[in-house]
Amino acid sequence: MIYSDDGTALSPLGVSSNCERDSGDPNKVVANAFDGNSGTSYSTCFYIGSGYSKYIDFHTTIGCISQITIWQWWSGTDNRLTDIIIGWASAPGGPYKETWTASNLNAAGATTRVKPTPSPTTLSPTLSPTLAPTLAPSLTPSLTPTLAPSLSPTGNPIEKPDGPHPVKAEFSRSYQHIRVHFDRATNQPSLPCQSLFIPASVNLLGRGHRCYWEDARVLVVAIGLDFDLVPGQSIALAGGKIHTEGDANAENALTGVVVLRASLSTAVSVGLVGETKIGACGGVFDFTANGEGSLAKPFQYSWALVNNTGSGWRNVLNVDAAQTRASIFSLNGTIIPLGETVVVAVTVKNWLNDSATAQISVSKVSSVVPLLLLPSSTNITTKRSRMTEINVQVRTPTCLPNLRVNLFWTQISGPSLIPLSGTRASYVSIPAFSLLPSSVYKIRFLAKAFSATTNATLGQNSVVFSLSVANEPLRAHIAGGSSRTVALVASAEPYHLQFDASKSVDPAFPSSQSALSFAWSVKDATTLVERSLNSTGAKATLSTSQLLGNRRYEVRVNVSTNRTDAANATASLILLTTNLPAPKVTLSSSVSDGILDGRDKLVLSATARLANAPTSTDDTSLGLQWACDAADFNISDRKNLRSPIDARKLIFRPDVLLPGKTYEFSVSTTVRYGVVEATGSASVAVRINSPPTSGACSSSPAAGVALQTEFLLVCEGYVDDAADLPLRYKFQIVSADNAQAVVNSQTLSASSATFLDLCQFRSLPSYKTTVSGGSSSSSSSSSSSSSP
């Protein structure tokens, strides 16, 4: 007897001979079944799906009526489906059995319903005793004779080896990716998402999704635009596509896995940017909600007036606010009486229903006040190693003639003096390395309105910016790649291995190399014994006499500084020892910190020499073989390279490496000594930085009159890795002659058009401007790691 997980006895059901294909869906099979114990008939729909594509022709040719057997187990109390076993009697390779749990079946899109009228006469009475005792006591006589030869009369159907099974799926912190974890190492098939998942799951992943392997146990799904997948929903892997590493017969089953929320997620926050003072001239004033944590989809915005007392002009403004669904609310300051104050509030909510609220108080004064359009929140996070730019748009009031506006920048506070350039302009640029890390600076921007005839001050407006200088972590780096082979030959004299970490850097103080301290060690991976190395600052040595053959050692350097606010950084290099006279191979990359920006070129450089070579000169007579650990990247394909595959310097073409993925590149050379071959190798790891993704930009209105129409450009929903935040935005125009080329190109960078900046990089994802004749507007976004 079979029991459910709640202890209820379950009734075995056999499939009747009227199992058939659904005429509207070629992948759907409808099977009627009868419970001999209760006398109840059931109808079950299930889907073959892409995971069973190799059996579709088999079903189509021979038919479903007698070639498929389904066993179902139901709870006797609530008719709850617990498991379905589907067996193909004449499947290639012999009888085959697959088990779906109820949750996996539901994830695959299957449904189950109970027929209202029993029909026991249409079903076979019993099952044949030739099946396993746990399935049913006997086979139904009404099955066609083709079933009998394929079933073993003495035992259970032959089962395929158990393949990889997904044990966890989780959104990444930015919700750009899903990581699917497997219970064992896989063969990492280089297949698109359309092949790895069933169609219903693929449709949830959005436009432009892609799949790649992070390692043998983790499949990464880069989510596309307009994705529909939400946490708690299941995605189903197609069967037969993923095998156990080293066992082609152990393939995965069609299995669903629930996608969990990110274990670490960016909290929703919002700042409100806009005027706090409205002049007597009135006018329209924009308030911009600058939110974080939208997580790959635009926010929902809700605007309101907090202190609405019911008066007529307040009701008008409140209605305007309630009808605004964008990130910018335009306040009609003309209808606000002098001396009145309003409080504007905005609530942002992301697609996970996480929300935050901000508000700002606005007063109308009797003086003439210049209008200030801010490029960001007044609280700005920056880095010492980055140039900090602030560009305030100033608009002169138009209600009085002969007005002029003078502009001033001044420092209010901070641990050091800021060299403010352009202090009489609306734009200020603070040079890199001018600010101290882990510090706060405050600077004021002041705009004064003067009468051009009397030179009298008519009014002024000011804003204070708070600059928080984030701490920047140290970067540790050991030259020579991430691993290398070390030859230990008994007949040869011991020699010293050289290690160099001089390219380690404190990005906040890159010229102060002497302020860095280095602690070196080596660890035996077999005994786990770790000891210190002889070192002089950034360089260390290790005698081969201290190493054993055929072992794995980890050389590690810990880099620190006398700055109390800087955390230590470590880097390591793996030594693989051999008792053979293996050649000495070195490998280095053009990326000193191991992270390649998508716009940069990757260059790998290698050298090789014999184990007993008297000098370190590269021996070009030793041929090199390059390799890459990524199953979805063919390093031998000349389309991926700008150099020959056996070159000493391997140059990669742009955009051939997937953003967000880490690649392990290796180079080796083999020398033959009689019948013995000795191979030396080295490797290096490179991570490809991902650009901001998942967002979209828009213009309102979409068309207008040059120098008259004011365009609102907005970019929303962009996300990036936490290390590359905060995002900054630049808006540009392109001449009308080149506009169509931009539209036809796949990306802005793919076109040959020339772009002109409307503004410098700014943290607010919106910009208002008029456009001159013969131009077309466009927008782009950039993470802090790639902006100038």
Side-chain angles (χ1 to χ4, degrees):
M1 180 66 69
I2 304 300
Y3 292 88
S4 68
D5 53 6
D6 61 2
T8 306
L10 305 176
S11 304
L13 306 178
V15 173
S16 68
S17 59
N18 64 341
C19 175
E20 61 187 11
R21 290 277 182 141
D22 187 290
S23 59
D25 188 345
N27 287 337
K28 183 178 180 181
V29 175
V30 180
N32 293 317
F34 173 64
D35 183 347
N37 294 343
S38 64
T40 305
S41 293
Y42 300 96
S43 180
T44 299
C45 301
F46 66 94
Y47 290 80
I48 296 174
S50 61
Y52 297 101
S53 58
K54 62 183 178 182
Y55 297 114
I56 288 178
D57 290 340
F58 162 73
H59 284 300
T60 303
T61 303
I62 303 179
C64 172
I65 293 178
S66 59
Q67 298 304 309
I68 187 168
T69 302
I70 300 179
W71 293 274
Q72 298 182 103
W73 284 272
W74 293 75
S75 165
T77 56
D78 57 4
N79 288 333
R80 179 173 57 83
L81 177 64
T82 57
D83 288 290
I84 285 186
I85 297 179
I86 301 178
W88 290 273
S90 299
Y96 178 71
K97 184 180 74 174
E98 184 62 66
T99 302
W100 289 355
T101 65
S103 59
N104 292 338
L105 185 66
N106 293 334
T111 58
T112 305
R113 61 185 185 275
V114 178
K115 294 184 69 174
T117 306
S119 54
T121 57
T122 62
L123 299 177
S124 305
T126 56
L127 292 175
S128 168
T130 58
L131 286 178
T134 57
L135 294 177
S138 61
L139 264 178
T140 172
S142 62
L143 292 177
T144 60
T146 57
L147 270 179
S150 62
L151 293 178
S152 170
T154 58
N156 294 327
I158 300 173
E159 297 187 19
K160 289 188 176 181
D162 190 22
H165 183 78
V167 293
K168 180 183 179 182
E170 183 180 32
F171 278 101
S172 65
R173 181 173 184 175
S174 64
Y175 282 76
Q176 291 176 280
H177 303 89
I178 299 169
R179 283 179 169 80
V180 183
H181 298 258
F182 288 83
D183 62 348
R184 69 199 67 187
T186 71
N187 65 329
Q188 304 181 61
S190 180
L191 295 173
C193 297
Q194 290 86 339
S195 298
L196 293 171
F197 294 91
I198 67 170
S201 295
V202 172
N203 293 337
L204 300 174
L205 303 180
R207 294 179 289 109
H209 60 262
R210 55 187 173 83
C211 291
Y212 61 90
W213 292 90
E214 184 174 276
D215 54 44
R217 288 175 176 262
V218 179
L219 173 66
V220 178
V221 181
I223 303 172
L225 294 174
D226 302 322
F227 65 91
D228 295 320
L229 187 66
V230 297
Q233 197 169 7
S234 294
I235 52 176
L237 287 158
K241 303 297 183 180
I242 305 171
H243 299 152
T244 299
E245 186 177 49
D247 188 353
N249 292 322
E251 60 185 30
N252 73 301
L254 191 155
T255 310
V257 58
V258 176
V259 182
L260 306 176
R261 285 189 64 146
S263 54
L264 293 175
S265 185
T266 302
V268 175
S269 62
V270 61
L272 200 49
V273 179
E275 293 286 352
T276 58
K277 190 190 311 183
I278 297 175
C281 293
V284 177
F285 299 82
D286 290 335
F287 295 87
T288 303
N290 187 21
E292 296 286 345
S294 63
L295 303 179
K297 289 188 178 184
F299 277 122
Q300 296 180 25
Y301 297 91
S302 301
W303 294 87
L305 261 64
V306 175
N307 57 345
N308 184 8
T309 59
S311 57
W313 63 270
R314 290 183 184 273
N315 282 336
V316 172
L317 295 178
N318 201 49
V319 170
D320 290 343
Q323 293 177 345
T324 301
R325 292 291 181 265
S327 61
I328 295 181
F329 167 55
S330 297
L331 177 72
N332 184 357
T334 303
I335 68 173
I336 300 176
L338 291 176
E340 291 287 352
T341 299
V342 296
V343 178
V344 178
V346 64
T347 298
V348 297
K349 184 170 68 172
N350 65 17
W351 59 283
L352 298 175
N353 291 321
D354 300 327
S355 63
T357 300
Q359 61 184 39
I360 189 170
S361 180
V362 187
S363 301
K364 189 166 185 179
V365 298
S366 58
S367 58
V368 177
V369 178
L371 175 61
L372 307 182
L373 300 181
L374 305 185
S376 65
S377 166
T378 55
N379 296 314
I380 299 175
T381 300
T382 186
K383 296 179 180 179
R384 172 179 164 83
S385 60
R386 177 203 295 168
M387 179 175 64
T388 303
E389 304 161 312
I390 307 176
N391 188 7
V392 180
Q393 291 178 275
V394 181
R395 298 189 179 178
T396 303
T398 58
C399 61
L400 294 179
N402 301 320
L403 285 180
R404 63 183 176 86
V405 176
N406 287 349
L407 310 175
F408 308 89
W409 289 93
T410 56
Q411 180 177 349
I412 299 175
S413 63
S416 62
L417 186 64
I418 302 176
L420 294 174
S421 61
T423 54
R424 303 282 290 184
S426 62
Y427 169 81
V428 67
S429 174
I430 302 174
F433 307 111
S434 300
L435 308 176
L436 296 178
S438 303
S439 301
V440 177
Y441 295 79
K442 290 187 178 181
I443 58 175
R444 175 186 285 115
F445 175 75
L446 174 64
K448 284 187 176 182
F450 293 85
S451 169
T453 55
T454 66
N455 207 33
T457 300
L458 302 178
Q460 66 182 33
N461 202 355
S462 65
V463 60
V464 175
F465 293 94
S466 178
L467 308 179
S468 297
V469 187
N471 190 26
E472 299 179 68
L474 304 180
R475 298 174 186 170
H477 176 76
I478 302 178
S482 55
S483 73
R484 71 174 75 159
T485 302
V486 177
L488 305 178
V489 183
S491 60
E493 289 293 325
Y495 59 95
H496 284 85
L497 302 173
Q498 308 288 333
F499 306 100
D500 187 355
S502 58
K503 287 189 176 181
S504 300
V505 67
D506 181 351
F509 297 89
S511 60
S512 301
Q513 183 70 17
S514 59
L516 297 179
S517 299
F518 301 84
W520 291 87
S521 65
V522 60
K523 183 178 182 179
D524 188 327
T526 302
T527 63
L528 302 182
V529 173
E530 186 171 6
R531 61 181 183 274
S532 299
L533 291 183
N534 294 326
S535 63
T536 304
K539 297 184 178 181
T541 61
L542 173 64
S543 173
T544 56
S545 63
Q546 298 178 325
L547 304 177
L548 299 176
N550 300 319
R551 291 285 184 95
R552 176 188 176 97
Y553 294 88
E554 180 185 13
V555 175
R556 180 181 299 179
V557 63
N558 183 283
V559 182
S560 60
T561 180
N562 53 12
R563 283 201 296 124
T564 57
D565 55 354
N568 296 357
T570 61
S572 61
L573 185 148
I574 302 300
L575 302 179
L576 304 172
T577 63
T578 174
N579 291 323
L580 297 174
K584 298 177 182 179
V585 179
T586 66
L587 177 60
S588 62
S589 78
S590 56
V591 186
S592 59
D593 59 357
I595 302 176
L596 179 73
D597 190 89
R599 299 174 298 182
D600 295 339
K601 177 175 62 178
L602 177 62
V603 179
L604 302 179
S605 302
T607 66
R609 65 185 190 274
L610 294 175
N612 57 355
T615 68
S616 59
T617 304
D618 182 25
D619 186 349
T620 56
S621 67
L622 297 177
L624 298 180
Q625 294 81 44
W626 292 89
C628 178
D629 70 332
D632 54 4
F633 180 75
N634 183 4
I635 199 171
S636 300
D637 190 342
R638 286 300 306 274
K639 295 179 181 178
N640 294 329
L641 302 174
R642 285 181 171 173
S643 60
I645 182 58
D646 58 351
R648 262 29 197 182
K649 183 175 290 186
L650 209 61
I651 304 174
F652 292 77
R653 294 184 181 275
D655 303 323
V656 298
L657 301 175
L658 293 177
K661 185 166 183 175
T662 298
Y663 294 84
E664 183 86 14
F665 297 100
S666 62
V667 62
S668 63
T669 185
T670 300
V671 177
R672 179 181 291 275
Y673 297 92
V675 296
V676 177
E677 290 186 344
T679 299
S681 65
S683 67
V684 64
V686 178
R687 185 173 74 85
I688 313 303
N689 190 27
S690 298
T693 62
S694 305
C697 297
S698 62
S699 173
S700 179
V705 180
L707 298 178
Q708 295 184 21
T709 304
E710 189 172 54
F711 292 91
L712 172 60
L713 307 176
V714 178
C715 293
E716 290 189 280
Y718 282 94
V719 293
D720 205 347
D721 298 329
D724 293 335
L725 298 177
L727 294 179
R728 298 194 295 168
Y729 301 82
K730 178 189 288 187
F731 296 87
Q732 300 172 306
I733 58 174
V734 61
S735 64
D737 295 338
N738 292 322
Q740 191 58 46
V742 175
V743 173
N744 293 337
S745 65
Q746 294 297 315
T747 63
L748 294 179
S749 60
S751 70
S752 58
T754 300
F755 294 90
L756 302 177
D757 293 344
L758 290 172
C759 63
Q760 299 299 319
F761 278 105
R762 52 198 271 129
S763 59
L764 277 190
S766 60
Y767 189 74
K768 266 193 172 183
T769 185
T770 55
V771 180
S772 62
S775 299
S776 176
S777 64
S778 71
S779 53
S780 65
S781 64
S782 172
S783 69
S784 60
S785 62
S786 57
S787 50

